[in-house]
Amino acid sequence: MIELKTPAEIQRMHVAGRFVGEVLSEVGRLADVGVNLLDLERHVRGMIKQRGAESCYWDYAPSFGRGPFRNVICLSVNDAVLHGLPHDYTLRDGDVLSADLAVGVDGWVADSARTVVVGTAAEEDLRIIRATEEALEAAIEVARPGNRLGDISAAIGAVAHDYGYQVNTEFGGHGIGRTMHEGPHVPNKGRAGRGLTLRPGLTLALEPWFARTTDQIVYDADGWTIRSADGSRTAHSEHTVAITEDAPLVLTRREPDNPATRADSAGRLSTKKA
């Protein structure tokens, strides 16, 4: 079922989206050499509790996965790209970290993801991150009334093709609103001019993700963490977007990062655990 939202309901989703953006900005500042994934997760858990928000991941139990998810954020490192289960791992120089967060505030949900490099960045890692970000912006640009769902998928796929990356279609974007996953499914590759006609009030989580040299995936023994099948590094970018009569409205847009704050934020991590 696809539910179109009123302008007032979109504004309520925007409240959740701003908070999700704030949390992911904080994660980006805290992600540094020597920081443990479990400490990051606890910090995010504390932010959600303080805001009075609700994690969409806690107790999430879809058809995939092994048992309910018992964390509030997905943290995926290097060749891991989706559903990364936070575990006892200390970030190292050059690691690639993808963070994916969905939170509800007063009954309305927003979902977003970002990928950052910890410490020294390799050009190949910056390139694949840039590709997902450009694919996301291309998808947002065509999320306008009268266009088709396939136009979004085609826009993402075209950027991947230009960069030379293959596209996996098993996991992609989705509708969102009162719950984290609503219809329709939004593949990261498709044909322009095909599929559902986009209408004002449709709210979508658009999320291109690529691996350097494959479109195949494997699962960790934890039943959640999804990795590139050949061990190549990955990246993931996502925003919640509302289709309006005018321009697309990005509900989870973050403030630009300030690298000067990273060291200070990382230093505060150990003193602000939930």
Side-chain angles (χ1 to χ4, degrees):
M1 179 177 177
I2 298 173
E3 178 187 9
L4 300 179
K5 283 73 175 179
T6 67
E9 290 170 338
I10 289 172
Q11 285 306 309
R12 293 177 69 182
M13 289 182 66
H14 206 170
V15 171
R18 290 191 188 100
F19 175 66
V20 168
E22 291 170 5
V23 175
L24 287 181
S25 291
E26 178 79 345
V27 170
R29 288 190 291 267
L30 292 171
D32 206 353
V33 177
V35 171
N36 193 285
L37 295 184
L38 293 178
D39 288 333
L40 271 179
E41 199 277 342
R42 280 190 285 265
H43 186 78
V44 172
R45 193 180 302 191
M47 293 182 72
I48 292 172
K49 181 179 180 180
Q50 184 176 23
R51 177 61 177 78
E54 182 177 354
S55 168
C56 295
Y57 294 158
W58 189 267
D59 275 346
Y60 180 50
S63 57
F64 58 89
R66 180 171 298 171
F69 199 84
R70 286 301 177 94
N71 291 278
V72 300
I73 188 170
C74 295
L75 297 172
S76 307
V77 180
N78 294 334
D79 59 327
V81 64
L82 297 174
H83 310 153
L85 191 68
H87 59 286
D88 184 13
Y89 176 83
T90 299
L91 292 170
R92 304 168 184 172
D93 188 47
D95 277 347
V96 174
L97 174 68
S98 295
D100 190 353
L101 179 72
V103 168
V105 176
D106 297 328
W108 293 92
V109 173
D111 188 3
S112 186
R114 67 179 306 195
T115 301
V116 298
V117 178
V118 177
T120 308
E123 177 54 37
E124 294 86 352
D125 295 331
L126 295 177
R127 186 175 188 272
I128 194 169
I129 293 171
R130 187 164 60 245
T132 63
E133 292 172 344
E134 290 181 12
L136 179 56
E137 292 303 323
I140 292 168
E141 177 57 31
V142 298
R144 299 175 182 272
N147 286 346
R148 299 274 188 162
L149 199 65
D151 296 326
I152 293 175
S153 300
I156 294 171
V159 173
H161 180 269
D162 288 345
Y163 272 87
Y165 298 129
Q166 301 175 62
V167 178
N168 177 287
T169 56
E170 294 174 67
F171 293 92
H174 49 88
I176 188 171
R178 299 177 190 271
T179 61
M180 177 171 58
H181 286 138
E182 300 180 353
H185 173 62
V186 188
N188 285 329
K189 181 171 66 175
R191 296 181 63 181
R194 299 293 183 92
L196 179 75
T197 300
L198 306 180
R199 297 170 57 190
L202 182 63
T203 48
L204 301 170
L206 306 178
E207 50 178 317
W209 60 274
F210 309 140
R212 280 193 202 167
T213 54
T214 185
D215 61 357
Q216 300 300 303
I217 57 175
V218 294
Y219 288 80
D220 273 6
D222 62 33
W224 285 101
T225 306
I226 296 177
R227 299 181 183 273
S228 62
D230 64 358
S232 60
R233 288 195 168 189
T234 62
H236 178 202
S237 295
E238 177 182 16
H239 275 310
T240 296
V241 180
I243 296 169
T244 73
E245 295 284 359
D246 301 313
L249 179 60
V250 180
L251 305 182
T252 49
R253 186 78 75 186
R254 302 181 301 274
E255 293 295 325
D257 290 332
N258 180 0
T261 65
R262 172 170 286 195
D264 177 65
S265 297
R268 291 187 287 110
L269 182 61
S270 61
T271 64
K272 295 183 69 174
K273 294 178 184 177

